[in-house]
Amino acid sequence: MTRVEAEYGGWGVGSVTAMLCVVALLIFLPLGIGPGPIQPPSFSVLLIFPLFMAAILLFLFLASNTKSR
């Protein structure tokens, strides 16, 4: 293992950006529920969260792949 590979560990810009997006969604998405009685979310809203998390997982996997560089 070279010195550059040994020093690469940790969070990069993409990881921090992805984490901030997840935190922002977890904070601000419930605010969209609005006043009044709470109703269950629609099916499309239920699909947004797992699709977004899968996209982040794929992005982080591809960004951390050092063999292609």
Side-chain angles (χ1 to χ4, degrees), residues 28-41 45:
F28 295 115
L29 200 59
L31 295 177
I33 293 174
I38 296 177
Q39 300 173 356
V45 173

Side-chain angles (χ1 to χ4, degrees), residues 34-69:
I38 296 177
Q39 300 173 356
S42 65
F43 185 69
S44 60
V45 173
L46 288 177
L47 283 179
I48 289 173
F49 187 73
L51 290 176
F52 184 72
M53 294 304 290
I56 289 177
L57 181 66
L58 181 65
F59 170 76
L60 291 176
F61 174 74
L62 293 175
S64 67
N65 190 3
T66 58
K67 293 180 181 181
S68 63
R69 294 179 188 187

